Amino acid sequence: MRTVELLPDEATEARVRRVWGRLAELGMPSLAGHRHPTNRPHLTLTTASELPWDTRPSLTEALAVLPLPLRLAGTLRFEGRTAVLAWAVVPDARLTALQRQVWELLPGTGNPLFEPENWVPHLSLGRTRSGPGAWPTQLLPAELSEPWEGAFVSARSYDSELRTVERLAPAPA
C-alpha cells in the first residue's frame, strides 16, 4: 500500500512531537514510541495500491498548491480494531479540494475512509488496542485544547511494504 501525505512546517512538527512526548510521559499510548525513521507527524490524503508513473505528473501538479494553511483544533478519537487519538485538522476549501483531487487521481484500496465525503483530516497522536479510554480527557496535555496555526509545506508517499518514503512535493526554498 502507498499513501499520499502532507507534512507540516517545522514549528508544527515540533509541537506535535512535544505532545507525543507528553502523552508518553503520562503513560498514555503515543506515537513517540514508534521509533521507525519514517515516523513523523503527517496528514494522510489517501491510500492507494500503487502510485502509477502515468499519474505522477498530475499528482505533482495537484501538490503544487503547497504550502497550505494548517489549523489544529481539538481532539478526535477513532474506535475500531485499534483506537486512535488524533489532533483535528480544520479543513479549508483548498485542503478539501486537494484531498478530492488526489483521491480521484489514484487507484483506491477500497478504503471508504478516504472517500472525500468520509475523510476526517487529522494528525495522529497515539494508537492502542486498549480502547479509546486509554486517553483520559482530564489528563491530556493542555496544548490539545489550544488552537494552533501552521502550514502544510511538503508531501510524501509512504510505502508500507518497503517501509520507505518518497518525496512528492518539496518544501519551499
Side-chain angles (χ1 to χ4, degrees):
M1 181 189 69
R2 298 291 298 262
T3 63
V4 176
E5 303 171 352
L6 298 183
L7 303 175
D9 60 86
E10 289 181 18
T12 302
E13 179 164 347
R15 187 173 182 94
V16 173
R17 287 184 182 278
R18 279 193 305 275
V19 170
W20 287 357
R22 186 72 183 120
L23 289 170
E25 288 169 8
L26 293 168
M28 292 185 238
S30 166
L31 289 177
H34 182 58
R35 299 288 182 204
H36 195 272
T38 62
N39 183 40
R40 64 183 292 193
H42 65 274
L43 170 73
T44 303
L45 294 176
T46 195
T47 60
S49 54
E50 62 179 326
L51 291 181
W53 287 106
D54 61 343
T55 64
R56 304 263 178 145
S58 298
L59 185 57
T60 299
E61 185 178 324
L63 294 168
V65 299
L66 296 173
L68 285 176
L70 177 162
R71 180 167 159 67
L72 299 173
T75 58
L76 299 169
R77 294 168 192 255
F78 300 104
E79 297 182 38
R81 189 174 44 121
T82 301
V84 176
L85 176 70
W87 214 333
V89 173
V90 179
D92 67 6
R94 291 182 297 167
L95 180 61
T96 302
L98 176 61
Q99 190 275 335
R100 176 176 290 280
Q101 187 175 11
V102 169
W103 179 80
E104 289 173 351
L105 283 170
L106 298 172
T109 58
N111 188 338
L113 296 176
F114 294 103
E115 291 177 14
E117 60 276 4
N118 297 334
W119 182 63
V120 179
H122 64 277
L123 301 179
S124 295
L125 300 169
R127 298 177 190 276
T128 184
R129 293 185 190 260
S130 301
W135 300 283
T137 302
Q138 67 276 14
L139 297 180
L140 292 178
E143 293 101 322
L144 293 173
S145 62
E146 301 164 359
W148 174 264
E149 294 192 17
F152 289 112
V153 295
S154 62
R156 72 178 188 176
S157 176
Y158 177 72
D159 183 323
S160 64
E161 198 171 296
L162 299 174
R163 297 188 72 191
T164 58
V165 294
E166 173 188 347
R167 182 181 299 211
L168 298 174

